Amino acid sequence: MTNKEKARERREKRMQEISLLRTIPYSDRQRWWSCENVAVVTGSNRGIGFEIARQLASHGLTVVLTARNVDAGLEAVNSLRNQEGLRVDFHQLDVSDSSSIKEFACWIKQTFGGLDILVNNAGVNYNLGSDNSVEFAETVISINYQGTKNMIKAMIPLMRPSPQGARIVNVSSRLGRVNGRRNRLANVELREKLSNPDLLTEELIDRTVSKFIDQVKDKTWESGGWPQTFTDYSMSKLAVNGYTRLVAKELLRRQEGEKIYVNSFCPGWVKTAMTGYAGNMSPEDAADTGVWLSMVLSEEAVTGKFFAERREINF
C-alpha cells in the first residue's frame, strides 16, 4: 500500500468516527446554549457555511445566515425554516464592504442585543485543479483575510459575556500553514517571525500580504517564494491563521465571564462549488469541526489553535 493510499484509509476511518460522533446527542451537562444564544455564520447560503448554519440551528441555537446575494440568502433561510423548522434569520452581508459590516453590526445589536458565536466562513477561490492564476488575488485577499479580520473587529464588542465564553471560528485551510511540508513560504526568516507568538503582529501579517499583492501587480510574484499551490488562496488563509493566533492571544487577557475563544479549522477538500464539486468530503462532514468548536464546553475549550477533523494540527 502506498503512502497516499494509507493516508486515504486513515482519513476515511477518521471520517467514519466523526460521522458516529455526530449521531451522539449532547447531554444536558454539555448543553450550555439554548435558543436564546445567537450564532452568526457568514457566507452561509450554500456549501460548508450553509451546513454549519443548519447543524448549529439543529442543536437549538438561533442562527443568522448571511450572504451577499439577498435572493440566495432568503432561499437558503426559507429551506431551513420551512423544511426543517429551524430558528434561522437572514441579513445581507458583504464582508469585503466596510459599510455592509457596519450596517450588519447595527442590525445584530438592535435585533438580538449581541451574539455568542461568530463563524467566519465567507470566502472565495478562483482556481480549480492545477490552475494557479492570481488574476483575482486582490479580491481573494479582500474577502478571505480582510473580510474575516474586519468581521472579528466589528463583532467582538457585540459578543455577549457568559461563563461559557463566546466563540469565534475561522474557516481556513491547510494550504495556509506557515510550516507545512509542502506549499510553504520559501523565506525562512519570515516563517520564523510568523510562527513566533512574540514577533507576530497585525502589521507583519498585513505587510506580508501587501508585499504579495505588490508582486502580483508588477508580475514578479512567481519568484517571490510564495506558496506554489493556489497561491492567492493560500496566502489569504496563511493570513487568517496568523490573525487567529494574534487575536486569540489579545483576548486571553479578558477576565472570567468575558472570555472569547478564537480558533481556525480546515474543513478539507469538500464537494462544493469552490472545488468544482471535485472534493472527497461531504459538506456535512466538513462542517463538523466548525460546529464542534462553536459548542465545546468552556472547560474543554482552547484558543488560538488550528484544527482538522476535531484534532489540533500545526499552523
Side-chain angles (χ1 to χ4, degrees):
M1 185 180 290
T2 66
N3 288 337
K4 193 172 183 179
E5 289 171 335
K6 288 178 181 177
R8 186 186 303 117
E9 187 178 85
R10 287 195 301 270
R11 184 178 63 249
E12 289 174 352
K13 183 179 179 182
R14 182 57 182 163
M15 290 293 63
Q16 289 172 0
E17 292 172 355
I18 287 174
S19 294
L20 177 61
L21 286 171
R22 280 175 35 217
T23 66
I24 302 172
Y26 285 88
S27 68
D28 290 340
R29 188 188 72 84
Q30 293 172 309
R31 290 178 64 92
W32 57 264
W33 65 88
S34 71
C35 63
E36 299 299 315
N37 295 102
V38 176
V40 170
V41 186
T42 67
S44 46
N45 60 292
R46 65 178 185 176
I48 299 169
F50 177 82
E51 188 56 35
I52 290 174
R54 189 188 70 79
Q55 290 186 29
L56 288 173
S58 296
H59 284 298
L61 290 120
T62 294
V63 174
V64 177
L65 183 152
T66 79
R68 283 182 290 179
N69 183 285
V70 173
D71 291 338
L74 289 174
E75 183 180 351
V77 163
N78 288 335
S79 72
L80 293 175
R81 282 180 180 168
N82 300 336
Q83 295 175 24
E84 301 189 45
L86 301 176
R87 296 175 65 98
V88 184
D89 283 280
F90 171 72
H91 196 280
Q92 192 274 341
L93 175 65
D94 180 353
V95 300
S96 66
D97 181 348
S98 59
S99 62
S100 180
I101 292 176
K102 186 176 180 179
E103 182 186 344
F104 179 76
C106 290
W107 178 81
I108 284 288
K109 186 174 183 178
Q110 291 170 1
T111 308
F112 300 104
L115 71 158
D116 305 279
I117 297 168
L118 169 65
V119 181
N120 284 304
N121 169 76
V124 293
N125 175 32
Y126 293 95
N127 288 302
L128 293 173
S130 59
D131 298 343
N132 194 27
S133 168
V134 293
E135 180 182 355
F136 302 105
E138 286 187 89
T139 300
V140 172
I141 297 295
S142 174
I143 294 174
N144 295 7
Y145 167 53
Q146 291 164 350
T148 292
K149 179 174 73 169
N150 292 336
M151 275 299 293
I152 289 173
K153 289 184 176 183
M155 293 299 110
I156 282 176
L158 301 179
M159 303 203 84
R160 298 189 285 208
S162 72
Q164 296 79 23
R167 317 294 165 90
I168 297 175
V169 178
N170 299 322
V171 180
S172 191
S173 172
R174 287 183 177 93
L175 289 173
R177 294 168 78 173
V178 174
N179 292 305
R181 285 177 294 176
R182 297 176 294 175
N183 206 49
R184 63 185 181 184
L185 297 169
N187 187 323
V188 176
E189 182 183 358
L190 179 57
R191 288 208 311 265
E192 289 176 350
K193 287 181 179 178
L194 289 168
S195 301
N196 189 330
D198 296 326
L199 299 178
L200 182 65
T201 63
E202 184 176 344
E203 182 187 13
L204 174 63
I205 299 168
D206 288 350
R207 191 167 65 241
T208 301
V209 169
S210 294
K211 183 178 180 181
F212 165 65
I213 292 297
D214 287 344
Q215 290 188 4
V216 167
K217 290 177 179 177
D218 64 24
K219 297 181 170 38
T220 60
W221 67 273
E222 288 183 287
S223 59
W226 309 109
Q228 303 80 42
T229 303
F230 295 174
T231 303
D232 54 3
Y233 181 80
S234 296
M235 285 301 300
S236 72
K237 295 305 185 179
L238 182 148
V240 167
N241 285 341
Y243 193 70
T244 297
R245 292 165 58 220
L246 180 66
V247 75
K249 182 181 177 182
E250 292 173 352
L251 293 172
L252 266 179
R253 304 187 185 104
R254 290 195 164 205
Q255 61 187 19
E256 290 300 323
E258 296 183 2
K259 296 286 188 184
I260 301 177
Y261 302 102
V262 189
N263 296 286
S264 59
F265 83 100
C266 175
W269 196 36
V270 190
K271 296 174 184 175
T272 63
M274 188 178 284
T275 65
Y277 298 95
N280 55 24
M281 190 180 297
S282 70
E284 292 82 4
D285 285 336
D288 175 78
T289 299
V291 174
W292 172 71
L293 285 170
S294 299
M295 301 194 305
V296 67
L297 281 168
S298 55
E299 59 258 34
E300 299 169 10
V302 295
T303 194
K305 304 295 184 182
F306 189 26
F307 290 84
E309 296 154 17
R310 295 199 187 194
R311 290 175 174 169
E312 184 182 340
I313 60 176
N314 295 326
F315 277 105

